[in-house]
Amino acid sequence: MTFEEYDRYCDAMERERPEDEGWGRGSRPVINVSWEDARAFVAWLNSETGDDAEGPYRLPSEAEWEYACRGDQSGKNATSFSPSVGASSSPTGAFLTSEEANFDGNFTYNGSPRGEYRQKTVAVDHEDFPTNAFGLRQMHGNVQEWCEDHFEDDYGRVPSFGSAYETDDGSLRVLRGGSWINSPRDLRSAFRSWGQPALGDSSIGFRLCRTLTS
């Protein structure tokens, strides 16, 4: 989600706009938003489109997010990054470069070269970065993205059929994808992170999915 989209919500609900760190708003990804902020935006968006607060727009589950990031790549041949994203440097998806994603290029991973460290976000439609097999852009890097799930240390306990993991004794919420400030290791499709649901920072944003009804 971009600042342009989120600012429209803030203005409509008379909420304070989140800080952009002086990097610009518009088509840059909204940052400094908590999981609770993202959920409130979802409820507003669904009300604006004539739906109830629970659908059809929502945060993706962790399992959905990883499936979308991999671009339908799964099984024993799965690699660290979506192969179509790393096609120009590593067709197998073994690594990616800072020409293909926004991260701290001072660090390397799995044979990748050193590259640029932009030290801020870039626009969500940054055309220099390729899309994956699903046509999705920047699943790796730029901002970490909130998922619906409570964080569970044992990923094997997360539902295998794609729904979000919810527990009565959980507090942390899942973050995926890595960001502009992270090393490439933290951008891997399988890398998992977490955050306090009431807190956000300059490396955290979100994207939405939509439940199809027909």
Side-chain angles (χ1 to χ4, degrees):
M1 303 305 297
T2 65
F3 267 110
E4 181 180 12
E5 293 163 328
Y6 195 84
D7 285 348
R8 189 180 307 123
Y9 152 70
C10 290
D11 293 347
M13 299 299 292
E14 298 183 343
R15 292 173 59 115
E16 182 178 358
R17 291 182 173 189
E19 174 60 50
D20 65 7
E21 306 295 332
W23 303 337
R25 306 180 82 82
S27 61
R28 288 183 187 270
V30 64
I31 53 174
N32 292 310
V33 286
S34 68
W35 182 86
E36 293 174 356
D37 291 333
R39 287 273 293 175
F41 175 85
V42 167
W44 172 81
L45 180 61
N46 282 325
S47 68
E48 288 293 292
T49 56
D51 297 290
D52 62 38
E54 296 303 319
Y57 292 100
R58 56 185 174 81
L59 291 175
S61 70
E62 184 176 13
E64 288 174 325
W65 190 99
E66 184 168 335
Y67 180 80
C69 180
R70 291 186 180 279
D72 201 22
Q73 184 203 33
S74 59
K76 63 180 181 181
N77 296 320
T79 56
S80 296
F81 308 98
S82 175
S84 55
V85 173
S88 65
S89 58
S90 175
T92 63
F95 63 79
L96 50 72
T97 73
S98 60
E99 295 178 354
E100 298 158 333
N102 185 22
F103 61 91
D104 187 347
N106 292 310
F107 295 91
T108 64
Y109 176 76
N110 207 22
S112 65
R114 294 186 186 277
E116 182 178 1
Y117 179 29
R118 298 173 179 85
Q119 303 184 61
K120 59 185 178 182
T121 60
V122 299
V124 301
D125 55 355
H126 189 69
E127 294 184 355
D128 291 343
F129 296 160
T131 59
N132 70 9
F134 287 156
L136 300 173
R137 198 180 299 273
Q138 298 188 56
M139 296 295 291
H140 301 290
N142 210 21
V143 291
Q144 301 181 84
E145 299 174 4
W146 289 114
C147 293
E148 180 66 26
D149 308 53
H150 280 112
F151 181 79
E152 167 59 54
D153 283 328
D154 181 2
Y155 197 33
R157 294 181 61 184
V158 174
S160 60
F161 45 84
S163 62
Y165 177 77
E166 297 282 1
T167 178
D168 292 337
D169 58 359
S171 59
L172 301 175
R173 293 288 177 170
V174 172
L175 287 164
R176 283 294 201 121
S179 77
W180 61 272
I181 203 172
N182 292 115
S183 72
R185 180 185 179 276
D186 298 344
L187 272 63
R188 291 172 296 131
S189 301
F191 187 80
R192 309 174 66 228
S193 186
W194 61 90
Q196 294 284 350
L199 302 177
D201 63 36
S202 63
S203 72
I204 295 176
F206 66 100
R207 75 174 71 210
L208 301 184
C209 63
R210 188 179 189 185
T211 301
L212 298 180
T213 57
S214 62

